[in-house]
C-alpha cells in the first residue's frame, strides 16, 4: 500500500495536466478573436463584429463551421499519414507545457501544503522544451508529403529547411540563457532573475538584448509566422502544407499554430523577462508581503507578460511583409549564427571575469 | 520491477520499429519507424537516470537528423522502386559486413556480462546529471572529445569542398 502523500501527489499531477490541457484547448478561441480584432485595427477596419457583442462569439461560429465541414482526403493521399499529421503537429505543442512554470510554489494556508505551480521541474527543462517543441515540424512535413500535392510538398520541404536553419540559432539563444542563468531548469532560470527588472536576463548587458533578438527572430521562424511563413506562402503555394486539409483536421493545424505562438511567448517571458517575477520586488524596499499573495501576484504578472508577447506577435503579423526564400536563408546562416557565436564568446568571458 | 516492465516495453517497441525501418517499402514510412526507435532509445536513457542524454537524443536525432533525412527523401523523390536500385552490386559486401558486425557483437556479448555494476554515482549526484557529464567530458575525456570535434570539422569542410567542386563543373 503506497503512502497517502504519494497518491495525493500523483492525483494532483493528473489534475494539473487536465487543467493545463483544457486551458490550451480553449486558448485558441479568444486568440483567433483577438488576432482578427488586431488585424482589423491595424488595417483600419472593424474585424468581426456581427456574432455576439463585439464579435466575441465569432470563434464559436467558426468552430461549428469547422466541425460541420466535409472532411476531404485526396484520392492519392497516403491515408494513414494524412490522418496522423495534424495530431503530430498538435501533441508536441501540448507536451511542451509539462515543463513550463507559471509560478514557484503556493503554500496553502492552514494545512501548510506546498502546492507547486508547475507540472514538472526538470533538470533539463530547456533542452526538453526545445526538443519537444521542435517535433511539431513533423506534422507539417508529413502533412505536406501525405497530401500528394505539389504545393503541399513544397510547403513541407520549405518548412524542413527553414526549421533546420533556425533551430541552430534558437539553440544558441538557449545556450546564452543557460549561461546567463547558470541552470537548465526553467524554474531555476526564473529564480535567477528575481529581485527586480534590472536582474532580468534581458538586462544582462551588453549580451542580454542580443540574445533576446536572436531568440525572437529564430522563434518567429521556428513557428512559421510572418515574416517567415514561407511554408504557407499563399502567393506561390496555394496555402502550403495544409492546402489539402479541410474541416477539423485543418483546425488541428491552426490549433497547433496558436499554441506554438503561446509557447514562444511563454518561453520569451521565462528566458528573458523574469517569468513570474514582478518588475519591482517589494522585498527590496523592506516591505513584507505574505508569500501567498506574492504567488498569486506573480501568476498575474506572468499572464500579463505573455499577453503582451502574444499581442506583439499579432502586431508583427499584420505589419511586416514576407521575406524571400534566399533572404530567409541569409538571415539564418549568415547573420544569426555568426552573431550567436560571437555572443557566446562574450557571454562566456563575462561569466568568467565578472562573477 | 516497474522499471523492468517499462524497459521491456521500450526495448520491444524499439526493436520492432527498427525492423520496420529496414522492411517498409516507402522511405517516408521508414523515417517514421526510425523516429519511433530513436524516441524509445531516449526513453531507455531516462530509465538509466540520464535525462540529459535523453533530451539530447530527441533534440539532435529526432529533431534534426531525421528532418534532414526526410528533406533529402522528399527533395530527391525517392520512391519504393528506387530503393532496390541502391543495393546494386553491393549485396555481397553488405552481407559480409553485417555478418561481420554480428560476429563482433556476439563475441563482445559472450565476453562481457549483461548486468554491469552501477557506477560510483549516487542518486543525489545523478540529479545533477548534466553537470557531471560536462565536467567529465571536459576533463577526463577531453582528448576523445577533441578528436570527435576534429572529425566533425573534417566532415564539414569535406562537404563544402564537394559542393564547391560541383559548382565549378556546372560553370556556376
Amino acid at each position: 500500500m503506497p503512502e497517502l502523500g504519494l497518491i495525493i501527489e500523483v492525483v494532483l499531477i493528473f489534475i494539473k495536466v487536465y487543467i493545463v490541457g483544457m486551458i490550451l484547448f480553449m486558448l485558441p478561441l479568444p486568440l483567433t478573436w483577438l488576432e482578427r480584432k488586431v488585424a482589423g485595427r491595424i488595417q483600419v477596419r472593424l474585424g468581426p463584429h456581427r456574432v455576439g457583442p463585439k464579435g466575441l462569439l465569432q470563434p464559436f461560429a467558426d468552430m461549428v463551421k469547422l466541425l460541420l465541414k466535409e472532411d476531404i482526403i485526396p484520392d492519392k493521399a497516403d491515408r494513414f499519414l494524412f490522418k496522423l499529421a495534424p495530431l503530430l503537429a498538435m501533441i508536441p505543442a501540448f507536451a511542451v507545457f509539462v515543463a513550463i512554470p507559471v509560478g514557484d510554489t503556493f503554500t496553502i494556508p492552514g494545512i501548510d501544503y506546498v502546492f507547486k505551480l508547475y507540472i514538472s521541474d526538470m533538470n533539463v527543462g530547456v533542452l526538453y522544451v526545445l526538443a519537444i517543441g521542435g517535433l511539431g515540424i513533423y506534422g507539417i512535413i508529413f502533412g505536406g508529403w501525405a497530401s500528394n500535392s505539389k504545393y503541399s510538398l513544397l510547403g513541407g520541404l520549405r518548412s524542413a529547411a527553414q526549421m533546420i536553419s533556425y533551430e541552430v540559432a534558437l539553440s544558441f539563444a538557449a545556450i546564452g540563457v543557460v549561461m546567463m542563468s547558470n541552470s537548465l531548469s526553467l524554474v531555476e532560470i526564473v529564480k535567477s532573475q528575481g529581485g527586480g527588472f534590472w536582474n532580468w536576463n534581458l538586462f544582462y548587458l551588453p549580451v542580454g538584448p542580443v540574445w533576446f533578438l536572436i531568440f525572437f527572430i529564430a522563434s518567429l521562424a521556428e513557428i512559421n509566422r510572418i515574416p517567415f511563413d514561407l511554408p504557407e506562402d499563399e502567393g506561390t503555394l496555394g496555402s502550403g502544407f495544409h492546402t489539402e486539409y479541410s474541416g477539423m483536421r485543418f483546425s488541428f493545424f491552426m490549433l497547433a499554430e496558436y499554441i506554438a505562438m503561446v509557447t514562444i511567448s511563454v518561453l520569451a517571458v521565462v528566458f528573458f523577462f523574469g517569468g513570474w517575477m514582478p518588475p519591482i520586488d517589494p522585498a527590496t524596499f523592506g516591505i513584507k508581503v505574505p508569500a501567498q499573495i506574492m504567488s498569486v501576484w506573480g501568476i498575474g504578472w506572468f499572464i500579463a507578460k505573455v499577453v503582451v508577447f502574444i499581442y506583439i506577435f499579432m502586431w508583427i503579423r499584420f505589419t511586416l511583409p514576407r521575406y524571400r526564400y534566399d533572404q530567409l536563408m541569409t538571415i539564418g546562416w549568415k547573420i544569426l549564427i555568426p552573431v550567436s557565436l560571437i555572443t557566446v564568446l562574450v557571454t562566456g568571458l563575462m561569466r568568467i571575469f565578472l562573477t | 520491477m516497474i522499471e523492468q516492465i517499462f524497459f521491456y516495453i521500450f526495448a520491444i517497441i524499439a526493436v520492432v520499429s527498427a525492423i520496420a525501418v529496414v522492411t517498409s517499402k516507402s522511405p517516408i514510412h521508414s523515417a517514421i519507424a526510425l523516429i519511433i526507435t530513436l524516441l524509445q532509445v531516449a526513453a531507455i536513457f531516462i530509465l538509466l537516470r540520464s535525462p540529459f542524454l535523453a533530451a539530447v537524443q530527441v533534440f539532435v536525432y529526432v529533431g534534426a537528423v531525421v528532418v534532414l533525412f526526410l528533406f533529402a527523401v522528399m527533395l530527391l523523390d525517392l520512391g519504393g522502386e528506387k530503393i532496390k536500385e541502391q543495393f546494386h552490386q553491393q549485396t555481397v559486401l553488405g552481407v559480409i559486413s553485417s555478418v561481420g558486425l554480428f560476429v563482433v557483437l556476439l563475441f563482445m556479448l559472450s565476453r562481457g556480462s549483461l548486468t554491469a555494476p552501477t557506477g560510483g554515482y549516487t542518486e543525489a549526484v545523478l540529479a545533477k546529471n548534466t553537470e557531471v557529464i560536462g565536467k567529465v567530458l571536459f576533463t577526463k575525456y577531453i582528448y576523445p572529445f577533441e578528436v570527435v570535434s576534429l572529425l566533425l570539422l573534417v566532415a564539414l569542410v569535406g562537404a563544402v569542398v564537394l559542393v564547391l567542386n560541383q559548382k565549378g563543373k556546372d560553370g556556376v
Side-chain angles (χ1 to χ4, degrees), chain B residues 131-149:
Chain B
E131 225 176 295
V132 174
I133 293 179
K135 274 193 181 137
V136 170
L137 202 60
F138 284 101
T139 51
K140 197 174 170 190
Y141 296 106
I142 184 74
Y143 179 64
F145 179 78
E146 289 297 332
V147 170
V148 169
S149 336

Side-chain angles (χ1 to χ4, degrees), chain A residues 92-168:
Chain A
F94 278 81
V96 165
F97 277 84
V98 170
I100 303 279
V102 293
D104 189 10
T105 50
F106 183 83
T107 316
I108 297 169
I111 52 172
D112 274 347
Y113 179 76
V114 182
F115 183 77
K116 297 191 189 85
L117 293 170
Y118 42 83
I119 297 175
S120 166
D121 175 26
M122 294 178 208
N123 50 12
V124 290
V126 174
L127 281 171
Y128 171 84
V129 167
L130 290 179
I132 301 294
L135 297 185
I137 187 77
Y138 284 115
I140 295 175
I141 296 178
F142 288 141
W145 185 81
S147 304
N148 205 5
S149 139
K150 51 182 170 293
Y151 298 128
S152 305
L153 183 67
L154 281 171
L157 265 179
R158 280 186 181 184
S159 194
Q162 179 174 328
M163 193 232 156
I164 292 286
S165 312
Y166 281 85
E167 183 100 333
V168 183

Side-chain angles (χ1 to χ4, degrees), chain A residues 78 81 123 138 145 167 171 184, chain B residues 28-29 32 59 62 66 127 130:
Chain A
D78 185 321
L81 269 185
N123 50 12
Y138 284 115
W145 185 81
E167 183 100 333
S171 324
L184 278 170
Chain B
I28 298 274
H29 289 172
I32 294 175
F59 194 34
V62 186
V66 181
T130 318

